Amino acid sequence: MSEAATIDDHRNPAAGSSAYFSVRNVHAYYGESYIVQGVSFDVAENEIVALLGRNGAGKTSTLRAIARTEQPAIMQGEIWLNGVAIHPMKSFEAARQGIQLVPEDRRIIAGLTVEENLLLSQVAKPLGWSLERIYGHFPRLAERKQQEAVTLSGGEQQMLAVARALARDLKLLLLDEPYEGLAPTIVREIEKILMEVKELGITTVIVEQNAIAALNLADRALILDMGEIVFDGAAKEVLEDADLRHRYLAI
Ligand SMILES: Nc1ncnc2c1ncn2[C@@H]1O[C@H](COP(=O)(O)OP(=O)(O)O)[C@@H](O)[C@H]1O
Ligand SMILES: [Mg+2]
């Protein structure tokens, strides 16, 4: 591997990749457990990429490595967003670069209203959307802004989680199982919101057990198996390849 980038090459695009977002040979560990085993992929600006694979394949770990959470730790590899080296950063620095992770549990803060949850996202600079703009796009959240956020339905909580990402400076949205536990009609509502987010120029990586829904939304698909990428191509290709789906997605 090449030498890890230093703070000085943070803004040296020549040191990175020509892709908008690039994960280059990333190896990540939880303590001694070697989980992400040399993952590489590129994402174009404004693209929606579905990151798929069986339970335990390493999807959440890959998203966490990109968002630079404490665990798993990156031991090798590089992550670049628009010419900025993300791999040397801590999670708050990656967030400041516009990388926002919406984890599976959605991290809605108990004891706070919908509006207070949104305001909390605006404590850290740079700011994203105003509350007014968010409520314009999420009328359900506007109606419920004074409601305690944990009393929202699952679908509304997912909307709030996406809205919170938009309240910060959002460039790369990382979604971990956004459709989990949601009825099909609610999944369609969230899909509509994610298409709007795309139309606004934001780039998205979506991890989803509901592979068909994710493939219908996505431009491209990546399949992860045992910590390695085993497929990288058009989402349509996966929809049309029953063998591939059966082998790696069990559908
Ligand atoms: N905090 C952790 N410590 C140790 N191993 C972990 C931890 N979190 C996940 N793993 C392991 O990493 C592997 C990949 O997990 P994960 O990334 O959650 O997969 P997926 O999201 O694809 O289901 C699994 O074998 C899991 O047991
Ligand atoms: Mg997971």
Side-chain angles (χ1 to χ4, degrees):
M1 108 188 216
S2 59
E3 274 177 52
T6 64
I7 302 296
D8 295 341
D9 3 271
H10 272 202
R11 294 197 173 270
N12 177 8
S17 150
S18 56
Y20 179 69
F21 177 64
S22 186
V23 174
R24 292 265 141 258
N25 193 30
V26 165
H27 298 254
Y29 294 72
Y30 296 100
E32 303 272 280
S33 302
Y34 178 36
I35 302 297
V36 178
Q37 306 188 349
V39 164
S40 298
F41 61 88
D42 287 343
V43 181
E45 187 166 12
N46 201 212
E47 201 174 28
I48 300 181
V49 171
L51 177 62
L52 306 174
R54 275 186 285 250
N55 240 331
K59 304 180 297 296
T60 295
S61 303
T62 301
L63 292 188
R64 289 173 57 86
I66 293 168
R68 305 305 297 112
T69 55
E70 200 86 7
Q71 296 281 329
I74 296 180
M75 296 301 182
Q76 191 184 321
E78 299 180 357
I79 298 169
W80 294 85
L81 178 67
N82 203 14
V84 177
I86 304 300
H87 49 281
M89 294 185 174
K90 295 209 182 289
S91 62
F92 76 92
E93 296 169 301
R96 220 181 255 160
Q97 292 298 325
I99 298 181
Q100 310 298 343
L101 170 64
V102 177
E104 213 173 336
D105 65 11
R106 295 162 192 153
R107 290 300 146 77
I108 302 303
I109 299 171
L112 297 187
T113 64
V114 168
E115 184 148 298
E116 286 164 344
N117 265 271
L118 290 169
L119 286 170
L120 207 57
S121 291
Q122 297 189 317
V123 171
K125 301 252 171 356
L127 294 183
W129 287 16
S130 65
L131 287 186
E132 204 179 9
R133 189 168 178 203
I134 288 172
Y135 291 144
H137 278 260
F138 297 87
R140 291 237 234 164
L141 297 181
E143 287 162 24
R144 292 165 176 77
K145 63 184 176 190
Q146 300 309 339
Q147 192 173 325
E148 200 186 329
V150 288
T151 65
L152 295 176
S153 71
E156 289 159 357
Q157 288 193 24
Q158 188 60 46
M159 288 174 201
L160 177 58
V162 172
R164 269 198 323 203
L166 287 161
R168 306 200 57 183
D169 180 31
L170 178 61
K171 294 199 177 76
L172 178 68
L173 178 62
L174 305 173
L175 296 168
D176 200 354
E177 315 257 3
Y179 305 151
E180 196 189 4
L182 304 184
T185 54
I186 311 297
V187 168
R188 281 194 287 279
E189 269 188 67
I190 305 288
E191 277 172 344
K192 224 179 107 219
I193 288 168
L194 297 178
M195 282 312 295
E196 283 174 24
V197 166
K198 177 183 164 80
E199 276 156 27
L200 294 161
I202 289 156
T203 306
T204 299
V205 177
I206 176 172
V207 162
E208 198 29 76
Q209 279 305 317
N210 184 346
I212 300 295
L215 289 165
N216 281 324
L217 179 78
D219 304 295
R220 269 178 50 237
L222 303 164
I223 299 179
L224 201 59
D225 192 52
M226 308 219 301
E228 289 181 85
I229 300 283
V230 293
F231 175 87
D232 181 343
K236 200 163 159 271
E237 264 185 74
V238 183
L239 283 169
E240 287 167 358
D241 190 337
D243 279 351
L244 187 70
R245 289 205 313 271
H246 189 72
R247 178 139 47 118
Y248 295 115
L249 306 175
I251 52 166

